Amino acid sequence: MNIAIIGGGIGGLATANALLKKGFNVQVYERAKVLRPIGAGLSLTPNGLNSLNAVQPGIAELLIKAGSPIETMTLKRSTGETIASKPMEIMQKYGQPMLSIQWSKLQAILVSVLPPEIIHLQHRCVGFEQQDNCVKAYFAGGKTVQVDLLIGADGINSIVRQGLIGDKFPSYAGRMSWRGVTQYFHKQLSPNVTTLITAPDGKNFMLMDVGGGFTFWGAGALSADDYVYERTTDAKTRVLETFAEWAEPVEAIIAATPKADIVERPICDRPPLKYWSQGRVTLLGDAAHPVVPSLGQGANMAFEDAYELAECLFVAPNIEAALNAYENSRIPRTAVIYDCSATQGYRAYQPDSETTFTKMMKPSQMSQNDFEAWLYSYNQYQSS
Ligand SMILES: Cc1cc2nc3c(=O)[nH]c(=O)nc-3n(C[C@H](O)[C@H](O)[C@H](O)COP(=O)(O)OP(=O)(O)OC[C@H]3O[C@@H](n4cnc5c(N)ncnc54)[C@H](O)[C@@H]3O)c2cc1C
């Protein structure tokens, strides 16, 4: 079967590897001129790591070496006091860590297991057309590719999704985010620690060790306005202004991050869909189920999708049956994660955010523990 993946993001790359391992002929079409990290860093959880490892045994170990397994989570106020601190124990419970890693390192490892000739850069898909026996993908500049199956892994503003579903723009969640990564030393930054800093005025700041002396920081603030691109100040000035006067090391680490390495993005999602596929076209990753990043599950879900889609295509008698099985397995789970992410994301920016985060840190929170077990223990691979 010939398969085209639109989008060479982390979901598209992981899917290409999963499909190649099952013997399919896969090509990836990416609009960018070069594969650049589109976020500074992120956290991978056992469900995502197990999905990658089921496709490529040993890849989780490579990622762990390149990143930093988080052992302690600390909660602080913007004024500097520590509210709570807890050991993560994710590795002990789920066999894989909560791993924070630089985006560039994750991307490089995902690329390193693929034959370079299957990645076609500067290919911006502009639409597709289905026929009885094939699907044609059209690209800016006039190129057309004809395949048996088209996978839209082209992110939250997916053109493939527009062709299938036509639901236009994502919903803005009322929050702006900034992310950066920099090599920065400070007595308050320790290896294998994530620190979440919160304030009652709708702002949060997170600091994550990502290994090698690098720290990934992520900031979020309520903002009525999601239109960032035509402002006169740059993103670094905006985030510095937003977090001015927060206790050390917040301002210092933003100041130490090169302007060009700060990513500013409105936080958006889309409500869950009832279907992701039609005929010979399907969706994956953020194109299928974009969520707000409060649980850190977007990329992890894309890795689950990649494994599952390849399995379904390998086992099912035809494309229709495979895509049905893929949707049946993935839509209910991703819809639950959408709901929890949306609720958690909303609460994290309310005036009582400190109470919300403190509750999450308490071991007595059974519902939190049960949810965590359901989320991170996802492992459909043991029998395959
Ligand atoms: C602030 C923030 C923090 C986050 N933190 C985490 C985290 O800690 N853990 C986690 O798991 N997730 C996190 N996420 C979510 C994660 O970044 C996404 O879920 C993940 O990147 C989705 O991967 P994807 O490949 O589906 O889409 P993307 O990463 O968006 O990749 C899509 C690719 O498609 C390409 N493309 C788009 N349109 C076209 C076209 N027409 N033709 C060809 N190519 C095209 C793009 O250039 C891009 O390379 C976070 C997100 C945000 C905003």
Side-chain angles (χ1 to χ4, degrees), residues 316-345:
N318 54 49
I319 289 177
E320 190 188 352
L323 297 185
N324 267 332
Y326 167 60
E327 289 185 348
N328 290 339
S329 132
R330 300 298 303 146
I331 289 179
R333 177 171 166 88
T334 52
V336 172
I337 296 173
Y338 164 86
D339 277 342
C340 295
S341 301
T343 309
Q344 174 76 14

Side-chain angles (χ1 to χ4, degrees), residues 118-119 135 288 323 333:
I118 72 161
I119 303 176
V135 50
L323 297 185
R333 177 171 166 88

Side-chain angles (χ1 to χ4, degrees), residues 68-208:
S68 169
I70 296 304
E71 288 162 8
T72 307
M73 172 80 85
T74 299
L75 178 63
K76 288 187 169 190
R77 295 196 181 98
S78 58
T79 41
E81 308 88 60
T82 298
I83 304 164
S85 194
K86 77 164 185 179
M88 291 303 284
E89 292 171 356
I90 300 286
M91 182 76 187
Q92 296 85 322
K93 284 190 200 158
Y94 307 108
Q96 295 286 2
M98 172 171 284
L99 180 72
S100 54
I101 186 165
Q102 289 186 47
W103 195 291
S104 55
K105 292 194 173 169
L106 168 64
Q107 191 175 47
I109 289 172
L110 293 176
V111 169
S112 71
V113 296
L114 293 175
E117 65 275 11
I118 72 161
I119 303 176
H120 307 273
L121 300 172
Q122 282 188 279
H123 278 71
R124 183 166 63 83
C125 180
V126 292
F128 65 85
E129 192 183 2
Q130 301 215 47
Q131 292 169 353
D132 282 349
N133 298 320
C134 68
V135 50
K136 287 179 177 170
Y138 300 113
F139 295 89
K143 182 167 170 174
T144 302
V145 166
Q146 181 174 314
V147 285
D148 301 305
L149 174 67
L150 183 72
I151 300 170
D154 47 346
I156 189 165
N157 294 305
S158 165
I159 190 86
V160 179
R161 181 176 174 129
Q162 288 320 307
L164 277 186
I165 315 287
D167 57 349
K168 302 222 168 95
F169 303 108
S171 326
Y172 176 53
R175 305 186 285 276
M176 193 57 68
S177 76
W178 298 268
R179 289 184 279 179
V181 69
T182 191
Q183 199 168 28
Y184 186 71
F185 296 92
H186 189 280
K187 59 180 185 310
Q188 286 188 37
L189 298 173
S190 311
N192 311 109
V193 175
T194 287
T195 305
L196 180 62
I197 312 171
T198 192
D201 60 349
K203 291 177 195 164
N204 289 307
F205 200 94
M206 196 190 54
L207 292 157
M208 253 189 206

Side-chain angles (χ1 to χ4, degrees), residues 41-76:
L42 74 173
S43 63
L44 301 182
T45 48
N47 49 317
L49 288 167
N50 278 328
S51 304
L52 290 172
N53 225 27
V55 168
Q56 180 87 33
I59 197 168
E61 222 169 290
L62 278 181
L63 291 165
I64 291 167
K65 276 194 193 133
S68 169
I70 296 304
E71 288 162 8
T72 307
M73 172 80 85
T74 299
L75 178 63
K76 288 187 169 190

